[in-house]
Amino acid sequence: MASMLKIDNLHVRVAGKDILKGLSLEVNPGEVHAIMGPNGAGKSTLGNVLAGRDGYEVVEGSVTFEGRDLLAREPEERAADGVFLAFQYPVEIPGVNNTYFLRAALNAQRKARGESELDSMQFLKKVREKLAVLHLKDELLHRAVNEGFSGGEKKRNEIFQMALLEPKLAILDETDSGLDIDALKMVADGVNAMRDPARAFLVITHYQRLLDYIVPDVVHVLADGRIVESGDKSLALKLEEHGYAWIAERKIAGAA
Amino acid sequence: MAAVLLDRLLDAGAAPASQAAWLDDARREAREALVRDGLPGARSEAWKYTSLRALAQRAYARGDAGAAGRAVEASLVALPGVDGPRVVFVNGRFRADLSQLPATSGLTIAPLVDVLDDTGVHALLARRFDDASQAFARLNTALVDDGVLVRVAPDAQVDVPVHLVFAGVPADGDVAWQSRVLVELGESASLRLIESHVGTDGQAHLGNHVAQVAVRRGATLDLLQMQVAAEAGVLVRRSDVVLDEDARLNLRTLELGGQLVRHDLVVDLAGDRAQLESRGVFALHGRQHVDTHLDIRHLARDTRSDMVWRGVADARSRGVFHGAITVAPGADGTDASLANKNLLLSDQAEIDTQPLLVIHADEVKAAHGATVGQLDERALFYLRSRGLPESEARALLTLAFCRVAIDSLENPALRDHIDAVLLDHLPRDVAAPTAQDAPNRP
């Protein structure tokens, strides 16, 4: 099976500082990969560089998505290709209505893919289906994008957008941070409802807790800009037990 | 400033026909002041950022002799969701054939020529403009021969919006017109008034417009000023508002069209507890130059002004915003605030903003601030990451920035229309920002 996402020896510099230093990773359709690592390891850089954010300088390596050079694509093209980033810090955008924004985004993607655009009836039907899964109130739709949302609402809104846009590859950047256990379960339910043989997830997290609810196929440990260890879900438990220091020790032992 | 503009306008043909001795006197006085002082030059503080040098050398014909017969498309004068009395002027001339003046209880709408014996009209039309910087108001007084009076009787609550339309359409050459609006709300009356300035391409007229508004004790005026003049048009406007005790003005101002535009908004909070709430937007592209000059004067106790203005400048356009608030001696308990935020969408655009606060009273609450910035790159990336093309994302964010002016409009059809007009005037195909954005740290 051809991999969906292939990251090969990726080196990324941010503001003159090397953050990713030779990261390689392959994700197949249907798989859930968790990326864990200490603060400053480059987890969020990975998410941002995949989504196409400015200010991330790729100095070496390549990223292909479904065989195509992902790094050459604009952010909106990546979205239309099926790449979605759930932001660690969703942006508040006063004056832009949530519903208008989502419909414009969905239709822009559909247009880019040569699909027909949805009219407001079709769109609202889809919205209601997805809202129910995330236990989000209708009222959020009438507000400005993320404006005045609580931390939990913002994260659930990210997952709601993901559900609506139905990406092929969803990258969740510390979606669990700042969530209480109930919100965490809702987010996990939203993700699990979308698991599909044709869809892949990259779940970036600092803590193992989220992985109790979104069970990954593969767990990677990212440290100092590289993946230093990969394994099944038991790796996450080991990390939880021993802490990230354990990885550092193993690295040193391996290098010796 | 030596001005071909004035020579041509003041010398053209005979003086306007005289209908009343007092009017002739007022015109003569204004003309003399104008001849004496000319147009304000580079040293005039009030015109510091808007040079009249090029305009002063243009020779416009005085009025459009064919104005009464000019064809005007219905879509130019109509506004969605607005279906009440409508008064249409074309190239400065009142057009009864395009206007609708249904009888409405408590509401008087009349062409100025029909009400020259009215003492209220007399007082407003004969008003002197003593400062040399008010040259265009003087010009208006000297030459005006058409306009409209809108009067609401005391206690009358007019429930249909009144729509005044000033349209510029191609004439045989470039013309200059003067128009005058007089509005008076009697005690405890209320009115919604829309003043539209529209135009069709292919004309480069000079419109010179003066609105004088008196809101008597306890009355409330909702005023929407929508300026979408023709791309090549020159429009100079002065709005003079006096608010008596407990009177209230809710003002929405949009400046979108025109090549060279100047708007002087003067509001006197003359009676105790008078209130002004205003929201304004200018959104400029091409080589537009739009200058908004606020002169807000708190003259009585416990008066309140709350002003929010947003400006957007793209391409090589230039926006000027001068917001002056004066609190007069004795105007204790004044609460004044002015916020002006601006977006620069191009390296070659310029916005000059100057908030000014002059306080001569005690126990005053006053706040003002002005900023100039760019679109939020984080928001831009967020929208793009969801699939919106960059140009669309930029337009959407810019529109959102401007919406502050129309958010509180209660008429949804009109609000949607203004949204569409705004979007139409915002840059859609802005090049990617040239200045390299500071990298966003993870």
Side-chain angles (χ1 to χ4, degrees):
Chain A
M1 182 169 50
S3 61
M4 175 188 272
L5 177 72
K6 187 168 193 299
I7 304 174
D8 189 27
N9 190 32
L10 187 64
H11 289 68
V12 175
R13 195 175 285 162
V14 182
K17 195 172 166 220
D18 293 319
I19 303 292
L20 295 184
K21 305 168 184 172
L23 186 147
S24 297
L25 177 67
E26 280 193 52
V27 178
N28 296 312
E31 291 178 351
V32 176
H33 287 236
I35 308 269
M36 301 186 69
N39 290 327
K43 299 193 300 292
S44 285
T45 295
L46 177 62
N48 282 322
V49 83
L50 292 178
R53 189 171 194 150
D54 268 353
Y56 293 80
E57 186 195 351
V58 176
V59 285
E60 201 183 330
S62 65
V63 180
T64 54
F65 180 72
E66 297 191 315
R68 180 143 60 173
D69 178 7
L70 185 73
L71 300 176
R73 310 276 286 163
E74 296 293 334
E76 56 268 34
E77 293 174 325
R78 299 181 197 203
D81 290 344
V83 176
F84 178 92
L85 171 67
F87 282 58
Q88 184 180 4
Y89 303 109
V91 186
E92 295 197 16
I93 311 181
V96 176
N97 171 275
N98 221 359
T99 311
Y100 179 90
F101 156 57
L102 286 174
R103 190 173 156 213
L106 180 61
N107 278 336
Q109 286 197 21
R110 293 179 66 94
K111 200 171 153 193
R113 292 194 293 259
E115 299 163 8
S116 67
E117 297 183 29
L118 298 187
D119 65 29
S120 56
M121 291 300 287
Q122 293 166 316
F123 176 73
L124 278 177
K125 185 167 175 284
K126 209 174 166 75
V127 162
R128 302 238 181 276
E129 289 167 16
K130 309 295 183 185
L131 275 178
V133 181
L134 270 297
H135 305 279
L136 278 167
K137 286 180 286 223
D138 259 32
E139 182 240 337
L140 292 191
L141 290 171
H142 307 302
R143 307 221 312 244
V145 177
N146 291 321
E147 192 186 28
F149 286 26
S150 70
E153 282 173 337
K154 281 182 187 168
K155 295 300 181 79
R156 277 186 285 157
N157 193 32
E158 293 293 289
I159 301 304
F160 165 64
Q161 291 179 23
M162 176 183 80
L164 199 68
L165 297 171
E166 299 176 317
K168 292 173 182 165
L169 172 67
I171 304 156
L172 275 51
D173 187 5
E174 304 211 14
T175 301
D176 52 336
S177 69
L179 291 188
D180 63 26
I181 193 71
D182 292 331
L184 187 75
K185 279 179 181 166
M186 285 181 212
V187 163
D189 286 349
V191 171
N192 288 329
M194 288 194 67
R195 288 182 78 155
D196 182 288
R199 181 172 292 129
F201 292 86
L202 205 54
V203 181
I204 298 171
T205 179
H206 189 78
Y207 300 104
Q208 183 271 337
R209 189 177 66 156
L210 178 66
L211 305 180
D212 286 340
Y213 301 99
I214 303 172
V215 180
D217 299 298
V218 190
V219 174
H220 307 276
V221 179
L222 179 61
D224 194 26
R226 261 179 298 251
I227 287 179
V228 294
E229 183 95 26
S230 298
D232 62 15
K233 62 182 179 189
S234 65
L235 180 57
L237 293 169
K238 266 187 232 161
L239 274 176
E240 182 80 357
E241 194 179 332
H242 302 291
Y244 288 110
W246 169 69
I247 293 295
E249 282 160 25
R250 282 171 60 95
K251 263 173 67 191
I252 292 159
Chain B
M1 187 192 287
V4 173
L5 174 83
L6 292 182
D7 294 346
R8 174 92 194 262
L9 289 177
L10 295 177
D11 294 346
S18 155
Q19 291 104 338
W22 62 263
L23 183 57
D24 288 346
D25 288 346
R27 282 174 172 168
R28 196 182 55 248
E29 216 176 304
R31 171 188 285 257
E32 282 166 7
L34 201 51
V35 169
R36 184 184 67 232
D37 297 334
L39 291 177
R43 280 195 301 276
S44 168
E45 185 64 26
W47 291 86
K48 192 169 155 189
Y49 295 100
T50 299
S51 168
L52 294 171
R53 192 172 297 275
L55 185 66
Q57 297 313 313
R58 303 234 313 246
Y60 293 94
R62 189 164 85 203
D64 174 15
R70 303 272 173 222
V72 177
E73 281 184 42
S75 62
L76 191 66
V77 296
L79 272 181
V82 178
D83 188 23
R86 181 192 294 152
V87 185
V88 179
F89 288 76
V90 174
N91 291 350
R93 181 66 57 197
F94 172 63
R95 289 278 296 267
D97 58 320
L98 300 174
S99 301
Q100 311 163 8
L101 299 170
T104 307
S105 170
L107 177 68
T108 305
I109 300 177
L112 285 188
V113 287
D114 295 343
V115 287
L116 290 178
D117 53 358
D118 183 291
T119 52
V121 169
H122 176 164
L124 290 169
L125 263 187
R127 193 215 133 155
R128 274 179 27 202
F129 294 96
D130 291 325
D131 196 297
S133 69
Q134 300 162 338
F136 286 92
R138 290 171 169 178
L139 180 66
N140 189 287
T141 299
L143 298 182
V144 69
D145 55 1
D146 215 341
V148 65
L149 167 73
V150 177
R151 180 178 281 156
V152 183
D155 297 313
Q157 321 297 315
V158 179
D159 57 1
V160 287
V162 173
H163 188 194
L164 310 179
V165 186
F166 298 87
V169 302
D172 302 327
D174 290 340
V175 298
W177 74 73
Q178 322 296 324
S179 53
R180 192 88 162 221
V181 171
L182 309 180
V183 179
E184 187 184 5
L185 270 70
E187 291 190 1
S188 303
S190 72
L191 175 71
R192 280 176 292 150
L193 183 66
I194 301 170
E195 184 186 301
S196 292
H197 297 271
V198 298
T200 44
D201 292 338
Q203 60 92 347
H205 305 329
L206 163 63
N208 182 23
H209 181 85
V210 173
Q212 289 164 281
V213 179
V215 186
R216 303 295 177 215
R217 183 162 55 175
T220 298
L221 175 65
D222 278 293
L223 175 60
L224 170 65
Q225 299 181 317
M226 252 182 100
Q227 189 275 106
V228 278
E231 296 272 316
V234 177
L235 187 61
V236 181
R237 282 152 58 217
R238 181 182 174 92
S239 307
D240 270 318
V241 183
V242 178
L243 300 175
D244 288 351
E245 224 172 80
D246 294 304
R248 187 182 168 96
L249 170 65
N250 300 316
L251 175 70
R252 306 282 173 276
T253 296
L254 288 110
E255 302 282 357
L256 302 176
Q259 184 61 52
L260 174 62
V261 173
R262 164 75 175 224
H263 182 207
D264 280 271
L265 171 66
V266 183
V267 179
D268 282 352
L269 296 115
D272 290 350
R273 295 172 304 281
Q275 288 192 46
L276 163 68
E277 186 195 277
S278 70
R279 299 289 177 265
V281 165
F282 57 88
L284 318 179
H285 56 269
R287 289 174 168 272
Q288 282 183 290
H289 181 115
V290 173
D291 181 347
T292 299
H293 226 77
L294 307 189
D295 187 3
I296 311 302
R297 304 189 286 215
H298 289 262
L299 305 174
R301 299 173 69 95
D302 302 318
T303 49
R304 192 168 166 271
S305 64
D306 167 15
M307 291 164 283
V308 178
W309 240 265
R310 296 270 163 110
V312 176
D314 182 39
R316 304 175 72 88
S317 63
R318 186 160 182 204
V320 180
F321 181 84
H322 175 93
I325 301 175
T326 309
V327 181
D332 297 339
T334 286
D335 183 350
S337 84
L338 167 65
N340 170 230
K341 276 195 196 177
N342 301 286
L343 267 186
L344 271 184
L345 298 179
S346 133
D347 290 349
Q348 275 133 23
E350 182 177 331
I351 292 180
D352 300 289
T353 173
Q354 191 181 23
L356 195 69
L357 206 50
V358 181
I359 301 177
H360 299 292
D362 301 323
E363 293 177 53
V364 166
K365 247 171 75 184
H368 66 162
T371 61
V372 179
Q374 279 87 37
L375 283 178
D376 179 358
E377 291 297 326
R378 291 181 324 130
L380 195 59
F381 175 62
Y382 190 79
L383 297 181
R384 294 178 71 193
S385 80
R386 297 302 182 247
L388 285 178
E390 184 177 359
S391 63
E392 210 175 310
R394 283 183 178 275
L396 191 57
L397 289 177
T398 312
L399 174 65
F401 179 81
C402 296
R403 268 205 181 116
V404 61
I406 56 169
D407 264 358
S408 56
L409 278 182
E410 278 164 22
N411 181 335
L414 182 59
R415 204 173 48 216
D416 288 352
H417 172 74
I418 296 176
D419 240 21
V421 172
L422 263 173
L423 207 50
D424 200 41
H425 280 81
L426 296 175
R428 280 212 149 250
D429 292 297
V430 193
T434 47
Q436 285 312 306
D437 307 298
N440 297 296
R441 287 165 192 280

